[in-house]
Amino acid sequence: MNNNPMDTSFWGNSDPEKLINKYGAPLYVYNEETLRARCKEMKNLLPYPWFSVNYSTKANSNIELLKIIRDEGLNADAMSPGEIYLLVKAGFEPSQLLYIGNNVSAEEMKYVVGNGVTVSVDSLSQLETFGRINQGGKVSIRFNPGVGAGHHEKVVTAGNKTKFGIPGSLLEEVKTIAKRYSLKIVGVNQHIGSLFLDGKPYIDGVKALLEIAIQFPELEFVDIGGGFGIPYKRLHGEARLDLTGLSDVLEAILLDWMKDYGREVKVKIEPGRYIVAESGVLLGTVHSIKKNYEIKYIGTDIGSNVIMRPVMYDSYHEIVVYRNGTPLSSDDREKVTVVGNICESGDILARDRGLTPVKEGDTLAVLDAGAYGYSMCSNYNLRLRPAEILVTDDGGERLIRRRDTLEDLMRNYF
Ligand code: LLP
C-alpha cells in the first residue's frame, strides 16, 4: 500500500511542481488509494456484522471524498444540517447517518428528524427540546464517560472540563425526561476526544460507556466514538496506532458486554482524522526568504487561512521541500520558521523547524493535511480558499473542487 507522499507514486503520473503549475498554489492534493486503504483498515477493525464505521464528516467534507468513503461501505456522522445535506448529495441514505447535535435549536432538530436521520442529544435540556419536537421518537444520548483524551486541550471532548455529553450520574434524569415524552432511547454514544496513539484512554472510555449502556434495555446501537490518531511526526519515526492490539481488546470487551446485555447490539465507531488525514497533502510555494533579527523566515502562500491546525493547536505537520519536482534530501538542515501570507504575527506553519535549505520558487509539501485542513479553511484577509485535486487509482488526477474566485467573495451580497 502506498501511504507515503515521499514516494513518487503518491502523486500518480504527476509531481508536486507540475500540479502547482497546472492548478495553482496553495493546493490540496488527495490520494485515492491511501483514502481507500484507510477506510478498509477501519472497517476491518472488528470482524462482525454488528460492527460499522461512521466517518466523521467534519474532518473533510469534500463531496468527491465522501462518495469514495461511501463506496468503501462506511456510514457517516453529521454535526450540522450542512453536513447532512452534503452527505445525502453524496449518496448516503438517512439510515446510514447519525446526527450528533450540540446546543442546537428546535428548528435544527426538526430538519434532522424531517430528513429521517437519528438524533443524538448531549444535555438534559436538549433532550427536553427533542421530546417537545418529536414526542414518541427514537433518540440517542451522548454520555460523557468522565475520561477524555486528545492532542490538545481544545479537542478533549469528555471529562470534567468540556461542554460535551451528559455525565453518567444524570442517568435517572435522562430516563425521567425520556419517559415524559415517550422517547425510545435506541442509542448511546460518546466521543472522548481527538487523536490518541495509545489506546488506553479510549478503552477506559468504552468500558465506562458500556456500564451506562447496560441500563438501557432498548438499544439498537452503542457508538464508542472516534479519535484514532495518526503519526504526524512520521518522518521522525513516530509509531502508528496499534490497531490490531486495540481490536483484540475491544473485541473481548464488547463480546463480554453483549453476553451481559443478553443480545447483540450494533457497535459503531466515529473516526474522522484516521480516514482522511494521510491521504491529503497541502502544497504551496516559497515566495520570500528573510532574516528578521535572529530568525530566518521562509515566506510562503500557505497561510493559516488554508491550514489552521498549527496556529490553533500548535500542531506539527511534516514539511518536505521539492525542487524541480523531486524531494530534496533532508540530511542538510537549517533552523527556520515557516510562515504564510496572512496579516498576523501568529501566522506560523512551523516554528524553529530544521528544514533543507530552501530557495524562492521551491514547493513545500505539508504532509497529513487531509483531516481538518480544508474543512477549517477560511477567506480571512479575503484570501481565496484553494483548489482540491484527487490523484486517482489509475495515476491520473482530477480537480474535485475549484479554487474560490474573486466573484465568490461577492456571492452573499445584495
Ligand atoms: N465524533 C465526534 C462527536 C466528534 O466531535 C469528532 C471530532 C469525531 C467524532 C472525530 O474525531 P477524529 O476521529 O477525527 O479524531 N480540529 C481538530 C480536531 C477536532 C475534532 C472535533 N471532533 C484538529 O485539527 O485536530
Side-chain angles (χ1 to χ4, degrees), residues 54-59 77 79 100 142 151-152 154-155 157 164 189-196 223 225-229 232 269-275 308-309 312-313 315 317 371-373 375-376:
N54 275 5
Y55 168 64
S56 191
T57 311
K58 63 182 80 72
D77 277 353
M79 206 72 196
I100 304 179
R142 178 172 179 172
H151 66 84
H152 188 278
K154 288 180 185 158
V155 300
T157 49
F164 295 104
N189 58 297
Q190 74 175 15
H191 174 67
I192 67 166
S194 194
L195 204 162
F196 62 84
D223 179 339
F228 305 84
Y232 281 102
I269 55 169
E270 301 170 5
R273 185 187 319 270
Y274 196 89
I275 302 292
M308 234 240 262
R309 303 192 68 256
M312 187 119 166
Y313 320 106
S315 297
H317 285 263
Y372 307 107
S375 65
M376 293 175 79

Side-chain angles (χ1 to χ4, degrees), residues 258-274:
M258 283 185 206
K259 256 187 237 145
D260 294 347
Y261 193 69
R263 64 180 167 87
E264 263 177 23
V265 173
K266 285 188 187 137
V267 174
K268 304 171 197 248
I269 55 169
E270 301 170 5
R273 185 187 319 270
Y274 196 89

Side-chain angles (χ1 to χ4, degrees), residues 31-316:
N31 180 288
E32 179 172 359
E33 193 186 336
T34 310
L35 176 60
R36 287 190 184 275
R38 293 293 177 245
C39 289
K40 288 188 175 76
E41 276 180 44
M42 277 287 136
K43 265 201 81 179
N44 294 335
L45 188 69
L46 290 174
Y48 294 99
W50 45 257
F51 174 71
S52 63
V53 182
N54 275 5
Y55 168 64
S56 191
T57 311
K58 63 182 80 72
N60 190 320
S61 50
N62 184 297
I63 193 163
E64 298 303 320
L65 303 188
L66 293 178
K67 286 179 190 165
I68 293 172
I69 291 166
R70 181 184 149 266
D71 184 56
E72 286 295 329
L74 272 61
N75 300 329
D77 277 353
M79 206 72 196
S80 67
E83 287 186 354
I84 291 180
Y85 181 79
L86 226 77
L87 285 162
V88 169
K89 291 270 183 214
F92 286 89
E93 296 293 330
S95 61
Q96 292 180 282
L97 308 181
L98 175 65
Y99 165 85
I100 304 179
N102 175 238
N103 307 328
V104 303
S105 66
E107 283 62 43
E108 183 159 327
M109 284 186 195
K110 276 185 201 155
Y111 174 90
V112 180
V113 171
N115 277 278
V117 175
T118 303
V119 172
S120 146
V121 295
D122 85 337
S123 65
L124 297 180
S125 68
Q126 293 267 278
L127 183 59
E128 288 270 2
T129 308
F130 183 85
R132 282 196 295 273
I133 66 128
N134 194 26
Q135 189 149 12
K138 292 182 173 185
V139 68
S140 178
I141 309 288
R142 178 172 179 172
F143 280 100
N144 177 336
V147 270
H151 66 84
H152 188 278
E153 64 173 14
K154 288 180 185 158
V155 300
V156 174
T157 49
N160 59 8
K161 288 199 176 93
T162 169
K163 65 174 178 165
F164 295 104
I166 301 181
S169 56
L170 296 178
L171 198 135
E172 286 312 315
E173 285 84 339
V174 167
K175 286 186 171 172
T176 307
I177 297 170
K179 201 165 164 208
R180 188 177 321 135
Y181 295 100
S182 311
L183 298 174
K184 191 169 169 192
I185 295 174
V186 293
V188 291
N189 58 297
Q190 74 175 15
H191 174 67
I192 67 166
S194 194
L195 204 162
F196 62 84
L197 281 171
D198 164 11
K200 170 97 172 52
Y202 189 76
I203 295 291
D204 290 347
V206 172
K207 285 181 184 159
L209 183 69
L210 292 176
E211 273 176 30
I212 296 171
I214 204 143
Q215 309 193 45
F216 292 96
E218 295 181 313
L219 291 184
E220 290 169 9
F221 66 87
V222 174
D223 179 339
I224 59 180
F228 305 84
I230 62 122
Y232 281 102
K233 292 195 170 162
R234 63 156 81 198
L235 302 183
H236 293 74
E238 190 171 23
R240 297 195 69 78
L241 173 65
D242 172 16
L243 278 185
T244 317
L246 188 61
S247 158
D248 290 346
V249 181
L250 276 178
E251 181 176 19
I253 295 174
L254 290 166
L255 289 175
D256 260 7
W257 181 84
M258 283 185 206
K259 256 187 237 145
D260 294 347
Y261 193 69
R263 64 180 167 87
E264 263 177 23
V265 173
K266 285 188 187 137
V267 174
K268 304 171 197 248
I269 55 169
E270 301 170 5
R273 185 187 319 270
Y274 196 89
I275 302 292
V276 284
E278 292 158 292
S279 68
V281 171
L282 172 59
L283 296 179
T285 305
V286 175
H287 290 302
S288 88
I289 298 176
K290 75 193 270 189
K291 203 159 181 194
N292 246 3
Y293 299 92
E294 288 313 306
I295 302 175
K296 184 163 180 183
Y297 287 99
I298 306 297
T300 75
D301 47 21
I302 311 174
S304 46
N305 67 310
V306 295
I307 182 153
M308 234 240 262
R309 303 192 68 256
V311 171
M312 187 119 166
Y313 320 106
D314 283 327
S315 297
Y316 185 100

